[in-house]
């Protein structure tokens, strides 16, 4: 894997600052927010300077029960080509559920949700990853995600799950140490054990980010400073393997550029601390081996009957480990040998019944989170409530970004109005559609929009709801209702 160095997530709000930051070797962009034909001037200038740009997808849903959508894969491949990227990345997550596979309503999560660590889910994920690999022009790396909830009946730890995924598909791993910390707080999982079990040689790069504690859980917000425990996990990882790249993620609540630069330097320090630990550990090992070899040599000179000729092969056998360490080339693991190439372990086609089982479980969970249906058996009801509120808050925040006029028009009433809307109205498309649906409900239900605000919201909605609809359509009915009001 090529060395990437130290990077930062490129966002429009900090584009100018990123260009001026010293020591930025590469940036990562949200793939779905990048238009190939209209790259931001800042990204163009960074690429002209030789800064690597990596597209990071959030909407593919590789952990979902259905096979990856061909259009989404083509769009990700196009972005990789336009940006000249050495790889693309996505998440080990599902983001939608339902539909024909399960004969249930199709639902969008609007955010990343964890897949169950079961054999069924792993089989589906492996096949989906292979489909994506075949469709992409560059290698794929997939990221471990943060979770507020745990699936009942899981069969593997996170490290075991990731190891098998990499071993069976040759996919690279994007390890988010902030997500390891989140899962430690929220699910009691040991980050050190996860690092013990990971195929470290499969790591493409590492994410680092901040979060906050609320409702008794840790939220991976990407909007707060990186806490010390996350940096400690990064140091632990860097003491085991030299990560090809490390990237700071920050999505909102951006501080001054000097603060971001200081945080990047703190991340570099954490990596250097890990590298120093690795050197110390190696020196200790070499010293221990040397002492053991010297002791074995002295014993060999005495011989079994006190002879000084070593009694044959005793000394040679004792010295073999030292010579092997000194001259033998490293032997790559299965994952290292197969990364970026056909997997040595075959990935058979997944039966539709397996996909259906996974799909039904995911649809039941997502319906409980966004549509208020009963919580599936075995889940923590309190945590389901926390996750549901987090999803609604995420929707409110993203809609405010894609339709910034709405929080301006509604002021302090925007957030409570949107959260009330979200409780009874699951997403039925992307965030722009969600914004249209929200304004439609506000206009039809009355408060909080009155007077001038109502007129401006009506104009906003009519301007964005497409061409004049047929008289019998839902849009026509809404339009007539707006005119009457």
């Amino acid at each position: 894997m090529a060395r990437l160095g130290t990077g930062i997530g490129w966002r429009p709000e900090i584009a100018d600052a990123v260009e001026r930051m010293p020591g930025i070797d590469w940036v990562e962009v949200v793939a779905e927010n990048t238009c190939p034909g209209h790259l931001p001037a800042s990204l163009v200038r960074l690429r002209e300077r030789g800064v690597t740009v990596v597209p990071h997808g959030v909407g593919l849903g590789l952990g979902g029960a259905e096979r990856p959508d061909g259009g989404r894969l083509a769009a990700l491949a196009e972005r990789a080509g336009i940006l000249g990227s050495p790889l693309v990345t996505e998440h080990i997550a599902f983001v939608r559920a339902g539909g024909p596979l399960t004969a249930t309503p199709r639902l969008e999560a609007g955010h990343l949700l964890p897949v169950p660590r079961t054999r069924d889910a792993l089989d589906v994920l492996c096949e989906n990853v292979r489909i994506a690999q075949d469709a992409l022009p560059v290698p794929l790396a997939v990221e471990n995600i943060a979770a507020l909830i745990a699936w009942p009946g899981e069969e593997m730890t996170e490290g075991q799950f990731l190891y098998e995924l990499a071993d069976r598909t040759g996919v690279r791993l994007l390890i988010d140490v902030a997500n390891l910390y989140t899962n430690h707080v929220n699910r009691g999982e040991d980050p050190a054990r996860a690092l013990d079990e990971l195929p470290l040689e499969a790591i493409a790069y590492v994410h680092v980010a901040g979060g906050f504690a609320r409702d008794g859980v840790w939220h991976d917000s990407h909007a707060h400073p990186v806490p010390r425990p996350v940096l400690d996990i990064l140091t632990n990882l860097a003491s085991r393997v030299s990560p090809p790249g490390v990237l700071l993620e920050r999505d909102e609540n951006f501080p001054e550029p000097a603060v971001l630069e200081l945080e990047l330097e703190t991340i570099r320090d954490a990596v250097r601390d890990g590298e120093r630990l690795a050197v110390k550990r190696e020196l200790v090992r070499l010293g221990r081996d040397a002492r053991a070899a010297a002791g074995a040599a002295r014993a060999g000179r005495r011989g079994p009957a006190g002879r000084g000729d070593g009694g044959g092969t005793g000394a040679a056998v004792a010295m073999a480990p030292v010579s092997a360490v000194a001259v033998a080339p490293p032997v790559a693991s299965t994952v290292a040998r197969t990364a970026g190439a056909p997997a040595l372990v075959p990935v058979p086609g997944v039966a539709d019944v397996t996909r259906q089982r996974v799909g039904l479980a995911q649809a039941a969970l997502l319906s409980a989170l966004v549509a208020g249906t009963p919580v599936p058996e075995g889940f923590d009801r309190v945590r389901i409530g926390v996750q549901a509120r987090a999803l609604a808050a995420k929707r409110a925040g993203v809609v405010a970004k894609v339709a910034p006029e709405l929080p301006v028009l509604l002021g302090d009433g925007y957030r409570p109005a949107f959260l009330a809307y979200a409780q009874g109205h699951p997403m039925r498309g992307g965030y722009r559609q969600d914004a249209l649906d929200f304004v439609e409900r506000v206009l039809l239900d009355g408060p909080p929009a009155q007077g001038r605000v109502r007129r401006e919201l009506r104009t906003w909605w009519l301007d964005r709801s497409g061409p004049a609809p047929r008289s019998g359509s839902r849009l026509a009915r809404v339009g007539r209702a707006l005119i009457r009001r």
Side-chain angles (χ1 to χ4, degrees):
M1 182 68 203
R3 305 294 299 182
L4 292 170
T6 302
I8 189 169
W10 185 93
R11 303 292 183 267
E13 298 89 338
I14 56 172
D16 292 341
V18 169
E19 282 193 73
R20 295 191 298 267
M21 283 181 186
I24 295 297
D25 302 306
W26 65 293
V27 297
E28 182 188 77
V29 297
V30 177
E32 288 80 357
N33 294 346
T34 306
C35 181
H38 301 86
L39 291 181
S42 172
L43 275 183
V44 173
R45 288 191 293 268
L46 286 171
R47 290 184 64 243
E48 289 172 348
R49 281 168 37 190
V51 175
T52 299
V53 181
V54 174
H56 185 53
V58 296
L60 201 51
L62 290 172
E66 294 186 334
R67 291 171 177 83
D69 178 75
R72 294 178 186 274
L73 282 172
L76 191 56
E78 182 184 19
R79 283 152 178 78
I82 292 293
L83 295 169
S85 307
L87 78 163
V88 298
T89 58
E90 247 289 352
H91 297 83
I92 302 169
F94 77 99
V95 296
R96 60 189 64 86
L101 179 67
T102 58
T104 59
R106 182 174 293 281
L107 297 171
E108 292 281 340
H111 197 44
L112 307 167
L113 291 174
V115 300
R117 298 173 196 154
T118 61
R119 291 291 168 188
D120 275 357
L122 179 62
D123 288 345
V124 170
L125 176 62
C126 284
E127 184 173 80
N128 288 351
V129 165
R130 295 295 277 168
I131 292 170
Q133 288 172 317
D134 289 343
L136 295 170
V138 294
L140 170 69
V142 290
E143 178 182 356
N144 60 303
I145 73 163
L148 295 173
I149 56 177
W151 284 83
E154 291 192 313
E155 300 164 358
M156 286 168 273
T157 65
E158 181 163 36
Q160 292 166 344
F161 192 82
L162 294 176
Y163 187 95
E164 287 216 26
L165 171 65
D167 194 44
R168 290 171 59 175
T169 65
V171 73
R172 290 286 183 174
L173 298 178
L174 192 181
I175 297 301
D176 190 316
V177 292
N179 291 347
L180 291 179
Y181 175 68
T182 301
N183 294 344
H184 167 65
V185 175
N186 295 346
R187 299 174 49 155
E189 298 175 352
D190 182 5
R193 180 180 179 185
L195 295 178
D196 286 341
E197 295 172 340
L198 286 176
L200 298 177
E201 66 274 23
I203 293 178
Y205 61 88
V206 177
H207 270 173
V208 185
F212 66 95
R214 188 176 66 197
D215 294 329
V217 298
W218 184 262
H219 296 263
D220 178 49
S221 67
H222 297 184
H224 297 79
V226 179
R228 172 49 55 183
V230 171
L231 294 170
D232 290 342
I233 298 172
L234 176 60
T235 294
N236 189 343
L237 185 151
S239 74
R240 301 161 181 260
V241 65
S242 178
V246 182
L247 181 128
L248 171 63
E249 286 190 293
R250 191 74 176 234
D251 292 338
E252 54 188 341
N253 192 26
F254 298 101
E256 292 298 316
V259 177
L260 288 175
E261 291 174 19
L262 180 61
E263 198 156 36
L264 284 165
E265 190 56 37
T266 302
I267 288 170
R268 293 186 186 98
D269 287 341
V271 172
R272 286 191 286 262
D273 287 345
E275 293 169 346
R276 283 191 287 268
L277 282 175
V279 171
K280 290 179 180 178
R281 187 180 298 139
E282 182 65 10
L283 290 174
V284 169
R285 186 190 67 80
L286 290 174
R288 184 174 59 245
D289 288 351
R291 288 191 297 273
R298 287 193 296 272
R301 285 194 296 272
R302 287 193 297 271
R307 299 195 311 268
D309 61 0
T313 61
V317 171
M319 291 297 291
V322 177
S323 61
V325 169
V327 301
V331 178
S333 73
T334 301
V335 174
R337 286 197 305 271
T338 60
L344 295 182
V345 182
V347 184
V350 178
D352 286 344
V353 67
T354 302
R355 288 187 176 273
Q356 188 176 56
R357 282 197 301 268
V358 172
L360 286 169
Q362 291 179 344
L365 172 60
L366 185 52
S367 182
L369 290 171
V370 303
T373 57
V375 176
E377 184 177 354
F379 283 94
D380 184 322
R381 293 177 181 273
V382 173
R383 286 294 180 86
I384 291 292
V386 173
Q387 179 71 81
R389 291 192 293 274
L391 288 177
K394 178 74 173 180
R395 282 175 67 184
V398 177
V399 166
K401 287 184 177 181
V402 301
E405 306 89 352
L406 301 184
V408 172
L409 289 171
L410 293 172
D412 293 340
Y414 165 74
R415 190 172 182 84
F418 189 92
L419 295 179
Y421 151 80
Q423 286 182 350
H425 300 86
M427 287 181 69
R428 62 187 186 94
Y431 281 108
R432 287 178 174 79
Q433 183 62 53
D434 208 20
L436 282 168
D437 291 347
F438 165 60
V439 172
E440 176 184 321
R441 295 316 312 170
V442 168
L443 291 169
L444 290 175
D445 294 345
Q450 300 296 336
R452 178 188 61 81
V453 172
R454 181 175 201 81
R455 290 192 297 273
E456 293 189 20
L457 281 176
R458 181 180 63 185
T459 300
W460 183 94
W461 186 87
L462 290 172
D463 286 346
R464 291 161 177 79
S465 56
R470 295 190 300 259
S471 60
S473 72
R474 185 172 68 95
L475 289 181
R477 293 196 301 272
V478 173
R480 287 195 296 269
L482 299 180
I483 293 171
R484 285 197 299 269
R485 290 170 180 263

